[in-house]
Amino acid sequence: MTFRVTILGSSSALPTLKRNPSAHVLNVHEQFFLIDCGEGTQLRLRQADINPLKINAVFITHLHGDHLFGIFGLISSMGLMGRKTPLYIYAPKPFDEVLKCHLHYFDTNLPYEVIWMEVQSRKYQMIYENKIMEVWSIPLRHRIPCAGFLFKEKTPPLNVSKEAIEKYSLGIAQCAAAKRGEDIVLDSGIVVPNSELTYIPYEGRSYAYCSDTQYSAKVAELVKGVDLLYHEATFADKDKYLASETGHSTSLQAAKIALKAEAGKLLLGHFSSRYKDDSLLRDEACRIFPNTEIAEELKSYEIKRLKYSQK
């Protein structure tokens, strides 16, 4: 089952020749979720061969332009492309005011409905759920209300193995009981433990998106055990005073969060345009958390169950 994130943008504040402002697309079992929508996201979607009409919902961390300016053009384009299904946008206040203004002046006759769902940036709470996934808001420490997002794939119900069905000649009722986690009593009176009959098809995976924020130990607690952690690393350690002044993190601080969270893997992004060589940021983080990568534009990352290791 697909659980993959594609990087559409990983720059902070300004677009560069190599990087667009923040935007990710998460593919969960072929359901698509857009996370932030900086300038240029429409083009990046086309370059990544992702149809905008397939986007189920949009999650906006906060109302700074480098995370938001792309949403207005995307709303218009979806209308021109003939979208009919409602588009849900999860974002903190006052996005409702901004959206209302846009719809009033620019998209007065959309063929679909745009529905704003408030994200309370100071609360860790489930804000979205369907059959395969939950999304939780993560309070972040930025200059304005800001929330990260934790996407948690649900572990599916137990399956009964074909081998067990044949070996014990299990009927429909017995299979149903085994799927509920029950042991099975055969006609002979022998009790077959559930563990010999069933298996978990796969374990639920998780992805955390944490941008923008100062270092926060609370964030590490809330994403404990996450398989892939995307954390902003706007500045190098030598510029940590700038990180403090602007409400951002350094690469070292991001690595400390990953270590404290016992994350499977760390993906760094939201880089300041001042750094021409982002390997500096990666190398700093790797000193603390070796399983670290730099987010690459248009690259897709398969999210896997990775056992935490300090080695």
Side-chain angles (χ1 to χ4, degrees):
M1 292 293 185
T2 306
F3 198 65
R4 175 194 310 130
V5 64
T6 301
I7 310 301
L8 304 180
S10 57
S11 179
S12 70
L14 299 173
T16 69
L17 292 176
K18 295 193 303 179
R19 297 186 182 276
N20 271 22
S22 295
H24 290 190
V25 167
L26 185 66
N27 179 344
V28 186
H29 303 197
E30 297 308 311
Q31 295 185 30
F32 293 82
F33 303 90
L34 179 62
I35 313 165
D36 276 340
C37 191
E39 179 184 352
T41 295
Q42 288 192 78
L43 178 59
R44 280 291 197 238
L45 284 168
R46 291 184 178 274
Q47 291 171 332
D49 197 25
I50 297 172
N51 186 343
L53 297 183
K54 290 185 176 181
I55 294 173
N56 291 64
V58 180
F59 297 87
I60 302 295
T61 55
H62 64 297
L63 305 192
H64 276 161
D66 56 332
H67 297 257
L68 183 66
F69 283 163
I71 192 63
F72 309 109
L74 184 60
I75 288 172
S76 295
S77 292
M78 285 181 172
L80 293 173
M81 296 171 73
R83 185 183 182 104
K84 301 298 183 183
T85 57
L87 177 67
Y88 288 84
I89 302 180
Y90 295 77
K93 279 181 173 291
F95 181 75
D96 53 331
E97 298 176 18
V98 179
L99 178 63
K100 182 179 180 180
C101 184
H102 171 78
L103 295 178
H104 176 74
Y105 286 105
F106 298 101
D107 282 314
T108 56
N109 294 301
L110 283 176
Y112 68 97
E113 187 177 5
V114 182
I115 302 172
W116 169 67
M117 306 295 290
E118 182 181 0
V119 175
Q120 298 187 36
S121 60
R122 294 186 178 181
K123 290 186 178 180
Y124 174 69
Q125 61 182 9
M126 187 169 65
I127 58 174
Y128 178 94
E129 182 182 22
N130 61 21
K131 292 181 179 180
I132 60 174
M133 182 184 70
E134 297 175 355
V135 183
W136 292 72
S137 60
I138 306 169
L140 300 180
R141 296 175 57 201
H142 196 39
R143 288 172 291 163
I144 65 172
C146 185
F149 301 106
L150 175 61
F151 298 83
K152 299 171 68 175
E153 180 188 32
K154 293 181 178 179
T155 297
L158 293 170
N159 272 356
V160 182
S161 70
K162 292 182 180 179
E163 293 79 6
I165 293 174
E166 295 174 357
K167 180 178 179 179
Y168 298 109
S169 301
L170 300 179
I172 295 176
Q174 290 172 312
C175 287
K179 287 183 177 181
R180 293 194 298 268
E182 300 174 15
D183 297 334
I184 299 300
V185 181
L186 303 179
D187 293 341
S188 62
I190 296 175
V191 178
V192 183
N194 186 269
S195 60
E196 294 184 16
L197 305 171
T198 61
Y199 65 95
I200 299 175
Y202 57 88
E203 290 188 47
R205 295 156 287 182
S206 56
Y207 172 65
Y209 179 91
C210 298
S211 180
D212 303 12
T213 184
Q214 293 181 347
Y215 175 86
S216 171
K218 183 66 175 178
V219 167
E221 295 175 12
L222 296 178
V223 302
K224 192 81 168 182
V226 68
D227 295 303
L228 178 62
L229 169 63
Y230 174 84
H231 196 287
E232 73 128 288
T234 308
F235 296 102
D237 185 60
K238 66 183 179 65
D239 296 317
K240 57 188 175 184
Y241 70 96
L242 284 175
S244 178
E245 288 180 357
T246 58
H248 288 294
S249 295
T250 67
S251 52
L252 280 179
Q253 289 170 335
K256 290 177 181 178
I257 293 295
L259 186 67
K260 188 176 181 64
E262 299 184 1
K265 183 175 182 177
L266 172 63
L267 193 59
L268 298 179
H270 199 264
F271 307 117
S272 168
S273 59
R274 72 185 59 236
Y275 305 110
K276 306 308 178 187
D277 182 5
D278 49 31
S279 63
L280 164 66
L281 303 167
R282 180 199 60 218
D283 294 345
E284 285 187 345
C286 281
R287 295 205 304 266
I288 294 177
F289 194 84
N291 196 13
T292 298
E293 284 192 36
I294 292 290
E296 295 184 26
E297 304 267 321
L298 297 177
K299 181 175 179 178
S300 294
Y301 297 83
E302 296 291 340
I303 299 169
K304 304 176 181 179
R305 292 287 296 168
L306 296 175
K307 187 176 181 181
Y308 166 73
S309 174
Q310 294 191 42
K311 295 182 180 180

